[in-house]
């Protein structure tokens, strides 16, 4: 059922970023690398990231022999290469000769040489130089038996500011993009509602990108600029793919960065062959691991949902990062647990940044499999090696399965941009935090979910949840209307459905008021002096900092406000529409309510994890399946052992033992259970 | 006794900002507006703010027919127009063609198009274009029977940075302004004390405005730059008034912004015909409303004092703002109470920003009488309509009265600038907060006050209070000396009378030491580890973060410090001088002391509210009067009902009932009582 | 034994910054100054700081007669002059005519006129103009009998940003400096590890100084830029010295600023004749004075160690500063105590900023001996005068002694820069705070220390402590190896010895692992949820935010971790190497541990204060000595009296009394005791 993307190595990958270019003067290091990789069970490394200066030391002169030797040697030792294009950072000869290749900031200052992701997305020179070196890489290595995947650039857009370039070339391209989108200035002026503050555009040339010292409160402009920037970078990505494909038919991807607001990753979905992301959760930064595991799981779901298929965890640290305020070591066991968490949520790989610590510069203290001293003789190396063996042993059992959720969360970048740019009831709207708080009950119930943009068709889901879905893109309301009418369950919240895709308010009526049976009359943002509660099923829950006062046209009230001027007013409602139900949550609440509410919803929808009726605190389960079997990844994020009561009989895929009734788990551990599916 | 300024409509105004230019494509919306305005008791709207792009869609081409139709239609329906000039924001055709019209920031970067209040105060082009469109407005509407007042620009100086322009034109104008002021560089060098750090100017061209990357610690320069900026904007205002007067003799105003530090509003007093300000208190943001009501009342007093006459509340929200960190809805009743608070403190209007929410851009979620949906069928609309009726009913009784305080607070912008720019005992001197803490006891006693700059003559007051009056402008000391000698009571505090109007320290003696009978030897800024108290009338009060050690020449000690090295030293003194008394407060204290102290002072001066001897917590009274009657606005800012014990017999002007003894008030309410004055 | 530097006045200096140029129009003020200086026991003032505009009012025209008169008059009245060169601030005629003399910021924006320390370190124009005026000063006053010392510029580098200039001239000079250092780009590329992020330099012209919009994560570049900036300013200093020496053989110094990170003060040591610094501790800012006294003492030690000889406290406030967030007055007694603290730690002076408050500009409210009013009739003046007399009386007894510690702390600017620029386990590494926490036990024991850079030879010490000595400069490891082998005691901590002097990690082994007997396998940065303890000598101490997991090759474990995955692992070790011992502290701990640990170390090394076995809380002692005597400055920083139990018999040098057994001290006081040394 699952489509294999990486044909040459249809296995769980284990390895990571490898930078032999930094050690060409130290052949003994390169030799040791091979030996230690084999010890650690590494089967795949990513090579060539940030290697432009080594691959093209001066303009037009390519030196790829060292790379060829590295790839050969790896291959000879059974290790495969993910080959990167080097555009993650530009060499100084390029940036110094051609000013236009360097990004310009929003205040109009051109960056100097240096930094990473410093390239202009539009520059013809940059595109030409990129094309040439990518074609050369393709020519040299596009058919090498050891190369399995193209790794286009690296963490695109990660320029430490806002992931975009404001140079004149980009601005001119933006004006063309707008002309193409709006056709007329009248249409643009209306869409952006420029008459407010009298900023009607009378010539296309009057349009400038948002700037601190210029226009920055025109939400439509802000939104279109972000859309343009994403599309321009997707276009750059596509050009790179075309270049590396000149002598290669390998799949391609690019590694993404979690909740990276600057780029709408969903727009890359059609262009990439397999999704990939770099996972850096802040393990051990809170009193327990639950919220961090929730954050991580949500993102694994998100990246799996990009292609609705297994993805790659392209980077992770075996130990520690070096760029957070405080960098704490993964406790013994955590590395194995969190690596298997990724696998359980659909990853086909556990890749590290980085194989070996560099001697100098910014990331020399970032965690790595191999450090500056002691090399193979460390706790970290031993944990990595143990995991390598485990991945190798379970690979065949797992490889052709994937998670297949019946629940979808709408998480949409354009909504995120618009919602948090809107000047509304609060300055901080916390879209990500709100999404995570609604997702958390599903993690606690061990129910997998998809995370999709509004463009999804929603057809295969039983339950769709859309927290703070402020913007309704064209057709969204109609798709949801159809989804509910045909039997789906839909959950909407406060601050939803207020604007269209150019951030213009809907007037006269709210688009889904027929489906929801309610509409919002006013929204209050109470502070600490106006704390309130809702009453639901006989229990009382705290409300939060957003509370809507509803008008109910035709809906059942499930919860009411306790007091204040909207005391007794509905806070949660449900409306039966067609064969389905539409819920509306009028206010923020404490987590306890979300847990109880979604517990009830899941029960009504018949959603369950299939493994157990009640997961202990800090324990979850995810499920990969295919037509024949379901694999349950039971994950204990507590440092202490726990007991899980199983529903039925399962097989531990690693020990082969049959397990039923009680499952004993040690602290920070993951057990993989299998059940055959009877059809 | 009161001079009527708005002859065409001598009534309490009710209405607000109206932007029909955003809805010209929606005639049904414009028609609905008229109907709903009539329902809501609206008699006046402000039109044309931010409408430049609609009025002059391209250079020199005026399109004012739509505006004529709007004004006509309003007038036909009994609704009057406050007509705005459109300089609050510039159209793109203007800013793109003429670079010089755009402001330059202090770091030398010219703003791009966009923003509001982005115009250079000096630019000849801007002044010419402004003059032309203002004259055209005057030609078209200057004698329209429905137009009652000119609304010059909008919230002048509100450019979100520091309310000024640093372009070369402004800097050159500044140099001329300085030449005119100082005549010689020697005089300027002495006034600014430039020998410190060797920055003696030897040519006028060497002078630059304060800049982050240049001179910014020369207090005299900073001060003169702010003075110049205010004067340049007053000059711009005057030019606009001259332009709109070419075919009109209507009064003019501009709407101001409360404690807006960047502009010395007192310098506008002579130019405006009536004062106007936009009131956005943070109601419901604290544990109770008292401090917010105090803040608001102080500002109403301030703007009434500008002309010592009734003023206009030109903007307020009927419900919620959208630009604060947290925007909470006004609770039921609050809108009526706070609107009547303004009236009770001298406002002749309750105007809103905004009549109708825009569909797009920055303020689409700002509170309005009419929202995106539900229109006339909301709580907000009903509250506004009820207030509209009430204002209509009380208008005649109230219109020709005004507050006539016998107490004045010195609150002076130039002192504010100098005080907070001075590097003295503390970084944060908190001039506004200090003023408010001294004013609060008067609010609690229900005693109205004037709030005046040092230029006042102080002749008609019994009591003058000047908190932290760091700078003494020329003649100030002499005016105060005369005021006290002739029987007035004066209260001075720590950190007063230290510098002249160019921020040069007085040397040898402090200017009012003869009147006060004390002088300051040293000032201490104790922190949490050096908390102290003063002892006054047998009670002990906390001192704050500024404590002076005094030398007493000839004054009575009223309070002493409890301990530390100045334990036993005088903390509060009084000196009889001529027929009056001069008090000196040597330190910051907790509010309880200010309440007790000013209670004693008020009793000595025979100041009282005339209504009651003791107001409950959260309740105040303000008084508008004329030769025949006094009107008492009794305001209950508590959510719960209260009882007020009246001294004597009054008439409730709305019910016509006679009230004496107990007055019962509901939560968040205002009652208006009348007493005939017997002369 | 002590070398006298200031031959003309071999006495304790008392006086301060004097700015008669601001008062030339007020001859009565200048006359009063002389009278009050004599009353206050002032024998030396610094003249000419910031006087360029007065000395050279326009280009090439010198007006030094006023200065001659001032110096003459002072001399006639027995007051000596420290003569400043005026480069602390530039006159406007210079900065306006020659753009190149003004600094450029890291973002490429040239400063405007104004500010202080605004000069380019490289500009030929600036150097030429400086040379000329310095030569003129030398010509006029180089042999004046009243002038005793050259005060070169003022607080060099104190430009309120980062103490450097980024203009093209400086950048070009930097490239030359790099060529000179590295010879080849290959060497530079390796040293800076530029292959990381592909930033290999292929031409010297590609190198730019670190910039926010360019390269800023290349640690080697950052480090070399700071080195270059220091060296360029040392070079500027040396040029000034050469100029003032053209007609003078007086010694020269420049006043430094404590823990001023931007300049490596150790690099000035060879160029200055005597060290000088401006001491502004935040007395009274905490619950008691201990940590502030520790901070101050550490810096006195640091500046004494620069030349390993007595130094000058060139500025201090007699009362209050005006540039801190909160400026609190020195309590009675504190000024005398803190002035004698400086003397006790090796200062030959108590100088003030400032003699008289200016009338205007930024420092008009900074504390001074003479204020705007009251002049000689204030508490401050009386305290200063009393101190003046005391200094005069003790001068001869003290002058030729100095502190002679046997303990050295390694505190190294280059290590500071590299350590805090490194992206390692934490964002904030707190080098200064760590150093102070290790120094504090010595202050509490009354044991003087030297504070030296890694270039020291360490030969004369018994104990060397190197907290967080991240970088090992060339030869450092070998010097320490020799030091321990020959009997010294060395204390190293976590995060030490990781990189060489270009910030390249040592690989394969840590350089001193043979001496320490341990190496670090991993470093953890636990947060509040992972609090741990160490167990040492039966007691339990909190650990902090850095904990290393060690590998012990050959060392004795003195303390172990209590729990977590490294529970039971060594936390403190000692290794006997040759005749000496090497301690390793693997983690941050609470202060209590450091106190106990260093108490044990001091006992083992036989280090003691020679006065008493146990100092009360808040009391310390420092010792100045020569071949004949030891002088003990016993300092009580408590506001309350204390009792100190003396070991043996001493003479109070001021009363002549013999003291033994109990020494009674009043609050905030210093007693000076003498003991003859028997050889």
């Amino acid at each position: 059922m699952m489509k294999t993307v990486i044909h040459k190595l249809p296995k769980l990958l284990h390895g990571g970023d490898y930078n032999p270019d930094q050690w060409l003067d130290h052949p003994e290091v390169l030799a040791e690398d091979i030996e230690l990789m084999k010890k650690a069970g590494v089967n795949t490394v990513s090579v060539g990231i940030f290697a432009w200066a080594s691959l093209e030391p001066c303009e037009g002169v390519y030196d790829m022999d060292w790379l060829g030797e590295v790839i050969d040697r790896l291959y000879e030792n059974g290790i495969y290469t993910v080959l990167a294009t080097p555009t993650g950072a530009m060499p100084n000869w390029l940036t110094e000769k051609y000013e236009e290749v360097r990004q310009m900031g929003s205040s109009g200052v051109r960056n100097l040489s240096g930094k990473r992701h410093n390239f202009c997305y539009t520059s013809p020179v940059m595109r030409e130089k990129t094309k040439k070196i990518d074609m050369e890489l393709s020519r040299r290595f596009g058919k090498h038996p050891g190369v399995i995947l193209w790794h286009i650039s690296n963490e695109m857009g990660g320029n430490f500011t806002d992931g975009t370039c404001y140079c004149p070339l980009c601005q001119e391209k933006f004006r063309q993009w707008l002309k193409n989108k709006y056709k007329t200035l009248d249409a643009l002026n209306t869409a952006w509602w420029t008459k407010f503050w009298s900023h009607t555009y009378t010539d296309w040339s009057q349009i400038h990108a948002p700037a601190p010292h210029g226009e920055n409160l025109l939400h439509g402009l802000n939104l279109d600029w972000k859309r343009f920037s994403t599309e321009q970078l997707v276009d750059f990505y596509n050009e790179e793919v075309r270049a590396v494909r000149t002598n290669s038919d390998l799949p391609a991807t690019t590694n993404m960065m979690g909740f990276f607001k600057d780029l709408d990753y969903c727009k890359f979905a059609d262009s990439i062959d397999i999704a990939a992301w770099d996972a850096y959760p802040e393990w051990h930064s809170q009193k327990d691991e639950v919220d961090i595991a929730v954050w991580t799981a949500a993102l694994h779901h998100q990246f799996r949902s990009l292609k609705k298929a297994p993805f790659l965890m392209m980077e992770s640290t075996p130990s520690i990062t070096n760029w957070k305020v405080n960098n704490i070591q993964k406790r013994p066991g955590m590395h194995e647990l969190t690596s298997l968490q990724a696998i359980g949520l659909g990853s086909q790989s556990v890749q590290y940044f980085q194989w070996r610590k560099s001697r100098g510069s910014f990331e020399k203290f970032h965690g790595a499999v191999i450090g500056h001293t002691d090399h193979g003789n460390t706790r970290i190396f031993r944990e990595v090696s143990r995991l390598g063996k485990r991945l190798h042993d379970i690979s065949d059992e797992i490889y052709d399965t994937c998670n297949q959720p019946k629940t979808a969360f709408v998480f949409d970048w354009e909504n995120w941009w618009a919602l948090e740019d809107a000047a509304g009831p609060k300055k901080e709207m916390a879209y990500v935090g709100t999404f995570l708080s609604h997702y958390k009950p599903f993690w606690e119930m061990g129910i997998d979910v998809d995370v999709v943009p509004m463009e999804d068709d929603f057809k295969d889901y039983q339950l769709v949840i859309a927290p703070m879905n402020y913007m309704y893109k064209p057709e969204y309301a109609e798709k949801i209307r159809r989804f509910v009418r045909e039997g789906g369950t839909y959950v909407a919240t406060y601050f939803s459905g207020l604007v269209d895709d150019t951030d213009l308010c809907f007037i006269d009526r709210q688009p889904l008021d027929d489906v929801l049976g309610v509409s919002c009359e006013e929204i209050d943002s109470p502070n600490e002096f106006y704390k309130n509660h809702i009453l639901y099923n006989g229990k009382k829950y705290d409300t939060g900092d957003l509370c809507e006062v509803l008008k109910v046209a035709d809906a059942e009230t499930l919860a009411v406000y306790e007091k204040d001027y909207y005391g007794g007013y509905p806070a949660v409602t449900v409306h039966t529409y067609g064969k389905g139900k539409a819920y509306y949550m009028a206010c923020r609440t404490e987590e306890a309510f979300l847990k109880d509410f979604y517990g009830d919803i899941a029960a009504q929808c018949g959603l369950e994890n299939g493994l157990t009726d009640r997961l202990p605190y800090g324990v979850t389960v995810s499920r990969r399946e295919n037509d024949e079997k379901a694999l349950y990844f039971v994950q204990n994020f507590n440092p202490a052992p726990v007991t899980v009561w199983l529903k039925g009989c399962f097989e531990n895929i690693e020990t082969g033992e049959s397990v039923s009734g009680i499952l004993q788990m040690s602290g920070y551990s993951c057990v993989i259970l299998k059940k055959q599916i009877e059809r």
Side-chain angles (χ1 to χ4, degrees), chain A:
Chain A
M1 179 187 136
M2 285 301 133
K3 189 176 54 127
T4 296
V5 174
I6 303 175
H7 297 279
K8 285 189 189 166
L9 188 65
K11 285 182 184 301
L12 298 182
L13 309 184
H14 186 227
D17 279 18
Y18 179 45
N19 300 99
D21 41 315
Q22 295 179 14
W23 303 93
L24 297 177
D25 297 341
H26 294 260
E28 77 288 1
V29 169
L30 301 182
E32 188 195 40
D33 283 333
I34 298 286
E35 288 317 302
L36 291 172
M37 284 178 189
K38 290 198 282 190
K39 268 199 193 167
V42 163
N43 59 13
T44 308
V45 292
S46 300
V47 183
I49 299 168
F50 301 131
W52 198 331
S54 298
L55 294 168
E56 188 180 1
C58 53
E59 190 171 5
V61 177
Y62 300 105
D63 174 7
M64 300 196 172
D65 290 349
W66 64 267
L67 179 55
E69 283 169 34
V70 165
I71 295 174
D72 289 348
R73 181 113 52 103
L74 288 165
Y75 183 59
E76 288 158 14
N77 284 277
I79 302 161
Y80 288 80
T81 293
V82 173
L83 187 54
T85 66
T87 54
M90 295 177 291
N92 284 315
W93 62 255
L94 174 58
T95 54
E96 290 288 311
K97 180 165 179 191
Y98 303 103
E99 180 182 86
E100 71 166 57
V101 302
R102 291 185 256 124
Q103 290 186 351
M104 185 173 281
S106 60
S107 57
V109 176
R110 173 84 66 188
N111 282 351
L112 303 180
S113 293
K115 297 179 171 284
R116 52 176 224 168
H117 308 289
N118 195 2
F119 67 85
C120 168
Y121 304 167
T122 305
S123 158
V125 169
M126 178 61 185
R127 293 197 171 215
E128 179 64 17
K129 298 294 170 193
T130 297
K131 186 173 166 189
K132 282 187 172 163
I133 194 166
D134 285 359
M135 285 175 69
E136 183 67 14
L137 284 168
S138 182
R139 192 182 69 76
R140 285 287 302 257
F141 307 111
K143 300 192 188 300
H144 192 292
V147 177
I148 62 172
L149 178 69
W150 291 106
H151 180 296
I152 303 297
S153 200
N154 182 67
E155 296 189 343
M156 291 183 101
N159 68 357
F160 303 123
T161 52
D162 64 355
T164 186
C165 172
Y166 292 83
C167 80
L169 294 170
C170 285
Q171 302 229 19
E172 190 50 38
K173 194 86 185 173
F174 178 50
R175 288 182 202 107
Q176 290 169 21
W177 185 93
L178 290 170
K179 266 187 230 180
N180 194 47
K181 174 171 182 177
Y182 292 105
K183 313 304 184 205
T184 70
L185 278 174
D186 273 1
L188 177 145
N189 280 316
T190 300
W192 291 0
W193 207 251
T194 55
K195 282 198 177 173
F196 176 84
W197 290 1
S198 214
H199 293 163
T200 308
Y201 293 99
T202 55
D203 192 284
W204 294 96
S205 70
Q206 293 164 355
I207 302 172
H208 303 275
H213 59 312
E215 197 67 88
N216 52 41
L217 295 173
L218 212 49
H219 305 295
L221 166 65
N222 296 350
L223 202 52
D224 277 335
W225 175 254
K226 283 177 176 294
R227 285 173 174 136
F228 163 76
S229 290
T230 287
E231 289 190 25
Q232 195 68 352
L233 206 48
V234 169
D235 186 65
F236 190 94
Y237 172 89
N238 287 336
E239 277 206 36
E240 285 214 65
V241 172
R242 278 193 293 276
V244 294
R245 288 270 168 76
T246 49
N247 183 45
S248 168
D249 57 3
L250 292 175
T253 189
T254 188
N255 51 334
M256 302 179 178
M257 291 179 285
F259 290 116
F260 182 71
K261 191 176 176 181
D262 299 342
L263 292 180
D264 181 352
Y265 282 149
C266 298
K267 297 296 186 290
F268 285 81
D270 290 344
S271 297
I272 56 178
D273 296 303
I274 185 168
W277 80 288
D278 299 345
Y280 292 103
E282 305 214 32
W283 300 115
H284 306 300
S285 66
Q286 301 184 7
K287 73 178 198 313
D288 66 42
E289 310 302 324
V290 169
D291 285 338
I292 307 157
V294 165
W295 180 93
T296 313
L299 281 164
H300 285 314
H301 284 312
Q302 152 73 32
F303 286 100
R304 186 186 37 71
S305 302
L306 272 193
K307 304 286 295 182
K308 296 201 180 171
F311 63 95
L312 299 177
M313 180 163 71
M314 192 61 99
E315 291 184 18
S316 66
T317 178
S319 51
I320 201 167
T321 56
N322 76 323
W323 43 267
K324 293 174 183 171
V325 173
N326 213 61
N327 299 286
I328 184 168
Q329 293 281 351
K330 278 181 174 174
R331 267 48 198 158
M334 271 307 276
H335 177 57
E336 207 163 314
L337 167 59
T338 60
S339 298
L340 290 168
Q341 176 196 31
I343 302 292
L345 289 159
S347 177
Q348 302 290 57
S349 70
V350 176
Q351 300 289 97
Y352 308 116
F353 180 85
Q354 49 192 346
W355 168 254
R356 180 185 284 271
K357 290 181 184 170
S358 62
R359 272 199 77 180
S361 211
F362 182 58
E363 296 186 314
K364 63 184 175 297
F365 294 124
H366 193 290
V369 181
I370 305 300
H372 298 121
T373 57
D374 285 327
H375 304 184
N377 181 23
T378 63
R379 173 178 77 95
I380 302 308
F381 186 82
R382 287 186 291 273
E383 296 207 26
V384 164
S385 303
R386 191 164 59 233
L387 175 69
K389 176 160 190 341
R390 203 168 164 191
L391 291 174
H392 175 266
D393 293 347
I394 62 178
S395 181
D396 290 346
E397 181 77 77
I398 290 170
Y399 195 76
D400 68 347
T401 62
C402 192
N403 315 65
Q404 298 177 18
K406 288 295 172 194
T407 300
F409 270 88
V410 177
F411 180 87
D412 190 291
W413 258 260
E414 296 174 72
N415 182 59
W416 187 5
W417 296 335
L419 171 67
E420 298 197 343
D421 194 37
K426 286 182 63 65
K427 194 163 169 52
E428 300 299 339
M429 296 301 284
Y431 184 51
V432 170
T434 303
F435 158 53
L436 290 175
S437 70
H438 284 250
Y439 164 64
K440 184 174 176 179
F442 292 83
W443 186 91
E444 293 180 310
M445 293 186 282
I447 296 173
D448 289 339
V449 307
D450 275 355
V451 180
V452 300
M454 277 181 257
E455 281 82 356
D456 199 275
D457 65 12
F458 305 111
K459 282 187 180 153
D460 295 331
Y461 300 111
Q462 287 175 253
L463 172 61
V464 172
I465 301 167
M468 279 211 296
N469 204 20
Y470 164 71
M471 169 191 287
Y472 281 180
K473 293 183 189 170
E475 299 172 40
Y476 177 74
E478 192 44 39
K479 283 189 293 187
I480 293 299
R481 187 172 284 111
R482 192 184 322 121
F483 168 76
V484 179
R485 195 166 51 223
E486 295 178 2
T489 297
Y490 180 65
V491 181
T493 76
Y494 49 92
F495 219 67
S496 287
L498 297 176
V499 300
D500 69 15
D501 64 337
T502 64
D503 204 51
L504 277 192
C505 287
F506 295 114
I507 49 176
D508 297 329
R509 54 173 289 258
Q510 291 155 5
L512 282 177
D513 57 6
D514 55 333
V515 176
L516 296 164
V518 298
S519 62
C520 164
E521 179 181 327
E522 58 185 57
I523 184 160
D524 190 30
S525 181
N527 52 41
E528 58 181 304
F529 305 113
Y530 291 84
K531 287 183 182 301
N532 206 337
H533 299 96
I534 60 169
L535 305 167
Y536 171 75
N537 282 347
K539 284 174 72 178
K540 195 157 99 171
Y541 304 88
D542 296 343
T543 55
D545 53 8
L546 288 172
C547 293
E548 286 184 347
V549 181
L550 298 186
K551 287 194 168 158
V552 176
D554 175 28
E556 181 187 346
T557 294
L558 299 180
V560 296
Y561 290 107
E562 185 196 30
K563 59 189 179 188
D564 210 334
Y565 73 95
Y566 37 86
Y569 279 53
V572 182
T573 61
V574 61
H575 182 226
T576 301
Y577 181 84
K579 300 184 199 154
K581 284 174 185 296
Y583 290 84
Y584 193 80
M585 215 178 281
C587 58
R588 276 213 179 124
T589 66
E590 60 174 317
E591 285 188 357
F593 170 73
L594 296 174
K595 184 165 183 175
D596 289 350
F597 174 74
Y598 285 117
D600 294 345
I601 299 287
Q604 279 176 38
C605 295
L607 298 164
E608 53 162 356
N609 61 47
L611 181 87
T612 175
D613 286 333
R614 181 138 173 273
L615 286 159
Y617 182 83
V619 179
T620 191
V621 58
S622 61
R623 186 171 66 202
R624 290 180 71 145
E625 58 194 294
N626 60 20
D627 289 349
E628 293 155 15
K629 64 188 174 191
L631 297 172
Y632 296 88
F633 288 71
V634 198
Q635 304 150 44
N636 175 21
F637 284 93
N638 301 292
V642 295
T643 301
V644 180
W645 291 83
L646 303 180
K647 283 196 309 192
C649 186
F650 302 83
E651 177 194 339
N652 181 321
I653 67 163
E654 294 175 281
T655 65
E657 289 173 328
S658 173
V659 193
S660 65
I662 285 177
L663 172 68
Q664 299 284 13
M665 298 186 70
S666 54
Y668 298 149
S669 72
C670 179
V671 170
I672 312 170
L673 302 178
K674 179 166 74 170
K675 181 161 235 166
Q676 297 302 327
I677 291 184
E678 298 155 18
R679 305 269 165 181

